[in-house]
Amino acid sequence: MRKIIAQHKRLMGKYSSLPAVDTVQAQAEIALLHSLADVVPQAVGEFCKLPQQIAKANAFPVKAVDRRRWLEFMGYFLDTVTEKSNLPLSGLARANTLQVLRIFSSRIMGQFNPFSLENSATERKYPPTLYLLAPNISAFTARYDLEYSDVARWVYVHEFTHALQAAIAPWVPDFILENTTILFSQNQETESHEALQAKDRLTSVMTILEGHAEYVTDHIDKSVIPGRDEVKEALNHKRTHGHKGEKLLAKLFGFDKKVQQYRQGNHFVATVVDKIGMEGFNRVWESPAMLPSVVELAAPELWIKRVSEI
């Protein structure tokens, strides 16, 4: 707790035009993040028409962390994924990957990790966890002159939607891992048909995961996120206006594709829900075969027609 509070104060101190965050304020903000566990899960589960999955999703740990702690868990993530996939990752490659993540860590306000992780040094295991980067939420709130509770609620709703996805579709982590393994075990200079198929499957599942979470934050009752419109406007600005160096790195490492996934996935979910309801959309979680193809992502009516015949 003290480390998170200290990073609150250091981070906010970098912006001379912004008020410093004192210990009392930081403690109150972190307490608010944890208190949302009493509000958000029920609202998200009911909106998604998945009330039976609320308890399972709510059982995942929720951690308010600073950037250093989040990067530590990302290190465990890299180690776990490379071990399970049998993909080689040298010490230098691992360090370089973490350095890239460190550069972008100031932009991340929350993350749900669906994988079970392990610290190889201590053999300590960590279950799928919802992370809230408290200092970043505070900095984003101050930078765009928003209400802290609105930003915190938006982040919690978005990430808890991912937790709900993990509860209803436990096959997703292995599906991502299997296709990542196929993709990166191929010759990168000449992609095989198998690698191209794996890339399409990864595009499909990631677009659905992110688009669904985006749709939920956009359409859930405003009593859950009273200042949703202001938060959304600020997020759109954050996603499209960044440091030129950051934007170049984002393009080089594929992080810019996440914004495209938000938009295309959001459109797909909105179209499907409008035509066959949220219960109809939820068929996507039944199995990998129910995921839309890349073609169906762009033409949701084709997916609706296909699943109606199954």
Side-chain angles (χ1 to χ4, degrees):
M1 172 73 81
R2 275 183 283 183
K3 289 181 179 178
I4 301 174
I5 292 170
Q7 191 173 68
H8 260 71
K9 297 167 78 173
R10 287 197 306 273
L11 183 61
M12 299 306 289
K14 289 171 63 179
Y15 303 98
S16 58
S17 60
L18 300 176
V21 173
D22 59 31
T23 301
V24 173
Q25 180 181 344
Q27 287 176 329
E29 290 176 352
I30 294 169
L32 187 148
L33 288 175
H34 286 295
S35 73
L36 293 177
D38 298 327
V39 180
V40 169
Q42 191 70 29
V44 173
E46 291 178 356
F47 178 79
C48 293
K49 307 297 183 186
L50 295 171
Q52 71 278 15
Q53 300 296 332
I54 295 173
K56 185 177 179 181
N58 212 21
F60 295 127
V62 177
K63 294 183 180 293
V65 297
D66 60 15
R67 295 178 192 172
R68 183 198 62 80
R69 186 64 170 152
W70 177 77
L71 284 165
E72 185 179 323
F73 282 111
M74 289 307 296
Y76 304 153
F77 168 78
L78 287 174
D79 295 341
T80 301
V81 169
T82 52
E83 181 180 346
K84 286 185 176 181
S85 62
N86 293 316
L87 291 174
L89 187 69
S90 68
L92 178 60
R94 182 183 187 277
N96 287 341
T97 302
L98 287 175
Q99 182 59 36
V100 171
L101 290 172
R102 187 174 290 110
I103 292 170
F104 287 97
S105 65
S106 64
R107 299 176 64 84
I108 296 169
M109 293 190 285
Q111 181 194 37
F112 177 75
N113 168 50
F115 296 92
S116 295
L117 307 181
E118 181 175 352
N119 180 344
S120 57
T122 64
E123 297 186 350
R124 181 176 178 182
K125 298 182 185 299
Y126 301 91
T129 299
L130 193 162
Y131 298 105
L132 302 168
L133 278 77
N136 293 354
I137 295 174
S138 185
F140 178 81
T141 298
R143 184 177 298 178
Y144 290 98
D145 193 25
L146 300 167
E147 291 292 331
Y148 183 85
S149 62
D150 288 330
V151 178
R153 283 168 174 263
W154 193 98
V155 175
Y156 207 122
V157 166
H158 187 100
E159 301 308 331
F160 187 80
T161 301
H162 287 315
L164 201 64
Q165 295 164 352
I168 187 63
W171 52 266
V172 166
D174 285 342
F175 181 78
I176 293 173
L177 192 61
E178 288 166 9
N179 285 283
T180 301
T181 301
I182 293 170
L183 185 62
F184 286 99
S185 62
Q186 302 287 316
N187 185 328
Q188 296 300 301
E189 293 182 4
T190 56
E191 286 186 317
S192 67
H193 178 66
E194 186 182 17
L196 290 171
Q197 286 187 318
K199 182 185 289 186
D200 284 349
R201 288 191 291 267
L202 285 170
T203 296
S204 174
V205 70
M206 296 309 298
T207 300
I208 288 298
L209 293 173
E210 294 300 344
H212 179 233
E214 190 85 347
Y215 177 86
V216 173
T217 54
D218 282 354
H219 294 88
I220 199 167
D221 193 281
K222 284 196 74 172
S223 64
V224 182
I225 315 174
R228 176 174 59 211
D229 295 343
E230 292 79 8
V231 175
K232 183 73 174 179
E233 183 180 356
L235 282 166
N236 286 338
H237 185 274
K238 172 174 172 276
R239 290 169 180 172
T240 55
H241 296 77
H243 188 277
K244 287 184 178 179
E246 247 186 21
K247 287 175 129 181
L248 177 60
L249 279 173
K251 190 168 185 178
L252 286 173
F253 288 94
F255 294 134
D256 59 323
K257 293 179 181 177
K258 203 171 183 71
V259 175
Q260 182 181 348
Q261 289 169 355
Y262 287 142
R263 291 171 181 164
Q264 186 177 34
N266 195 342
H267 173 73
F268 178 89
V269 178
T271 301
V272 172
V273 171
D274 182 59
K275 293 185 179 300
I276 60 174
M278 186 65 80
E279 293 91 343
F281 166 77
N282 283 338
R283 294 203 62 191
V284 79
W285 309 120
E286 292 176 8
S287 72
M290 299 301 286
L291 286 169
S293 66
V294 173
V295 172
E296 289 170 337
L297 281 173
E301 64 279 0
L302 295 179
W303 181 85
I304 294 171
K305 183 177 185 299
R306 176 167 68 86
V307 299
S308 69
E309 297 170 352
I310 299 175

